[in-house]
Amino acid sequence: DTAVSQTPKYLVTQMGNDKSIKCEQNLGHDTMYWYKQDSKKFLKIMFSYNNKELIINETVPNRFSPKSPDKAHLNLHINSLELGDSAVYFCASSYPGFGTDTQYFGPGTRLTVL
Amino acid sequence: QKEVEQNSGPLSVPEGAIASLNCTYSDRGSQSFFWYRQYSGKSPELIMFIYSNGDKEDGRFTAQLNKASQYVSLLIRDSQPSDSATYLCAVNGDGSSNTGKLIFGQGTTLQVKP
C-alpha cells in the first residue's frame, strides 16, 4: 500500500497556466506538508496543514494556494505559472509533536514550466 | 534566518570504509534532528532521528548530536555502493512549538566506490 501518494508524477505546462497537484496519505497522520526542491536539490518547506488547519505558511507567492479538504488530502494549486516554479514538489505527512514528528514523503511531482 | 549547513561534497569513500557526514545548525532552540537519504530522482526517506546529546546507533548507521557545538553527524560503517546517495540533514525549525517545520541542509552527496 502506498503511504503518501501524489498526482501527477510529471507536469509540463506553459507559463501563465494554472495547475494543481494532489496528495493523499493513508497513514492516519494529522499533519501534511508541501515542500519545493529546486534544481540544486535544496528542499524547502512551503506549507503545512494540521487536521485541515493551516499551520505553516512560509514566504511563498500568493499564486500558490494549498487546500485540505480533509486530513488525508492536501492539494496545491498554482496560478499564473512562472519559469521559476519549475521544481520537484514533495508532499509529506507526520504526526506533529516531539518524538513522533518523523515525516514521510510522497514520490514527488516534477513540474516543468516552459 | 535559521540555517542548516552541510558540505555538498561529493564525499567519496571506498567500499567497506566509514563515511562521515556532518551538519551544523544555527538555532539553539532546535530539539529534533533527522537524517534523510535521497537517491537520484526519488523522494527523501528517513534514516535516523536523534533528540538527545550523544550517539544513537541503528545497524550500520550512527547519529551523533552535540547541542553545545550545534552539530549533528551521521556515520555509515562498512559503506556499500548502495549507500551512494544524497544525505539530507534536517532540523526542526520551530523550537518547542512542534509545528513539524523542518529546515533542511543542502545535502551531502556520498559516493561509495567498489
Side-chain angles (χ1 to χ4, degrees):
Chain A
D1 282 345
T2 303
V4 183
S5 60
Q6 293 178 230
T7 54
K9 190 170 176 61
Y10 299 98
L11 189 52
V12 181
T13 188
Q14 299 288 331
M15 263 196 319
N17 284 350
D18 303 338
K19 290 293 179 185
S20 291
I21 307 171
K22 295 185 175 182
C23 178
E24 177 181 359
Q25 56 95 3
N26 62 7
L27 297 168
H29 289 162
D30 292 329
T31 304
M32 297 183 71
Y33 311 82
W34 278 112
Y35 287 87
K36 178 181 180 181
Q37 188 168 46
D38 61 23
S39 57
K40 295 183 179 179
K41 306 297 185 187
F42 190 56
L43 191 62
K44 188 171 182 184
I45 191 166
M46 301 172 68
F47 303 102
S48 81
Y49 271 75
N50 180 272
N51 206 4
K52 301 193 296 177
E53 180 185 353
L54 182 65
I55 300 296
I56 297 172
N57 186 350
E58 290 295 288
T59 308
V60 176
N62 291 337
R63 299 181 294 102
F64 290 79
S65 54
K67 280 191 172 60
S68 181
D70 55 61
K71 74 173 190 177
H73 296 84
L74 180 61
N75 305 322
L76 183 65
H77 188 75
I78 315 170
N79 289 326
S80 303
L81 278 156
E82 300 178 357
L83 293 177
D85 298 331
S86 296
V88 180
Y89 292 84
F90 287 102
C91 176
S93 73
S94 75
Y95 287 116
F98 187 75
T100 61
D101 48 1
T102 298
Q103 295 186 19
Y104 296 87
F105 285 79
T109 296
R110 183 174 293 276
L111 171 65
T112 303
V113 182
L114 303 174
Chain B
Q1 181 76 4
K2 299 173 184 176
E3 293 183 345
V4 177
E5 298 283 343
Q6 294 179 256
N7 187 325
S8 60
L11 172 66
S12 184
V13 300
E15 184 175 356
I18 295 175
S20 177
L21 305 162
N22 300 312
C23 170
T24 59
Y25 60 94
S26 64
D27 182 11
R28 284 197 172 273
S30 298
Q31 299 186 14
S32 308
F33 306 87
F34 304 84
W35 282 100
Y36 283 82
R37 176 176 63 198
Q38 186 174 25
Y39 292 112
S40 181
K42 301 295 185 181
S43 58
E45 56 177 329
L46 182 74
I47 299 175
M48 298 210 44
F49 58 85
I50 186 167
Y51 303 125
S52 304
N53 274 329
D55 294 0
K56 179 181 179 183
E57 188 174 318
D58 184 1
R60 296 187 296 113
F61 299 95
T62 299
Q64 300 174 318
L65 174 61
N66 184 323
K67 289 186 179 180
S69 300
Q70 294 176 244
Y71 84 77
V72 57
S73 62
L74 179 70
L75 300 178
I76 306 175
R77 289 182 299 281
D78 188 24
S79 295
Q80 301 297 310
S82 59
D83 295 326
S84 297
T86 297
Y87 289 80
L88 303 171
C89 173
V91 174
N92 80 300
D94 55 6
S96 59
S97 301
N98 291 326
T99 62
K101 177 178 176 179
L102 290 184
I103 298 175
F104 282 83
Q106 67 267 43
T108 297
T109 299
L110 173 67
Q111 297 174 346
V112 181
K113 299 192 173 179

